[in-house]
Amino acid sequence: MSSFPRKFFAKDGQVFTIDIGRPEELDEVIELLRIHFFATSPNCYLVSDWSGASDSNGMSNYLSGCLRHPVSLTVRDSAGRLVAVRLNELEEPEDVHLDSLTSQSKRRLITALLTDLEAGIDLFTTFNTNKILSLAMMTVDESYCKLGLATTLVGLSLELGKANGAGAVKVCAVSRHAAKVAAKHGLETLRTIDYATYEFEGATPLAHLDDMLAEHPVAAFLACRLT
């Protein structure tokens, strides 16, 4: 595949630079996610204790881990400002990827949800591969939505996954938009979880969130073979 960085010419004529994410960009990535990912529905309900750059453990460690994988992508505008990220991981059978999310008790809801979405589904066996590309998180600055950045970043991620030996790709899509973008690239839905009826510690903590449920009724687990 072509090398990075590379230019992206948006529908409105703007030019962006797409590059491989680097660990030294962590603070910028955290700030972008804080404003445009964790503060939006449904993420604001699933990860309600996100505290931004001051959080030195838990989620920050997880994000740092994503940036150490050679399959995460960043997008900068003509002024060099970070405007989008597509965080990904390369998983192998012996890996455990949710440990860093469980260090703070208030994050157990998102950890439980993601675990339940994948429970009992062995993609390594299904797709006969020893490496899977996991599409972890993506966000685009609201000022640059609907320019094709999200779709382009997923497509480039799949190319990077294949180039790094992944035989399959998966995503736990907690929003309708994330599931729609993944489906555009051939990922198929293997399981859904209804937010309204999802039980956590003996309760249904999302059942009363009518606005969220109207826009994002389910979380979905999607996957496909990388060919």
Side-chain angles (χ1 to χ4, degrees), residues 157-172:
S157 296
L158 300 189
E159 291 182 26
L160 282 171
K162 287 187 286 186
N164 283 274
V169 57
K170 70 173 188 177
V171 62
C172 292

Side-chain angles (χ1 to χ4, degrees), residues 3 8 68 71 101 116 142 146 153 159 215:
S3 60
F8 173 77
R68 287 194 294 271
V71 289
L101 294 178
D116 290 343
E142 292 177 357
K146 298 184 179 179
L153 288 175
E159 291 182 26
E215 184 177 3

Side-chain angles (χ1 to χ4, degrees), residues 38-61:
F38 292 114
T40 60
S41 177
N43 305 299
C44 60
Y45 302 111
L46 299 173
V47 192
S48 58
D49 69 329
W50 174 248
S51 55
S54 63
D55 177 16
S56 59
N57 297 305
M59 186 66 77
S60 293
N61 289 339

Side-chain angles (χ1 to χ4, degrees), residues 108-167:
R108 289 179 296 170
L109 173 58
I110 184 61
T111 305
L113 178 68
L114 297 180
T115 299
D116 290 343
L117 271 174
E118 293 192 57
I121 300 176
D122 182 2
L123 297 181
F124 295 103
T125 299
T126 300
F127 296 115
N128 190 28
T129 183
N130 289 317
K131 191 176 292 185
I132 291 173
L133 174 68
S134 175
L135 304 177
M137 296 182 189
M138 179 170 65
T139 193
V140 178
D141 186 313
E142 292 177 357
S143 302
Y144 301 96
C145 290
K146 298 184 179 179
L147 295 179
L149 284 171
T151 299
T152 297
L153 288 175
V154 172
L156 290 175
S157 296
L158 300 189
E159 291 182 26
L160 282 171
K162 287 187 286 186
N164 283 274

Side-chain angles (χ1 to χ4, degrees), residues 190-210:
L190 303 183
R191 174 178 291 148
T192 61
I193 288 179
D194 189 329
Y195 284 133
T197 59
Y198 182 66
E199 294 188 9
F200 176 68
E201 295 187 340
T204 51
L206 305 172
H208 66 289
L209 302 173
D210 294 337

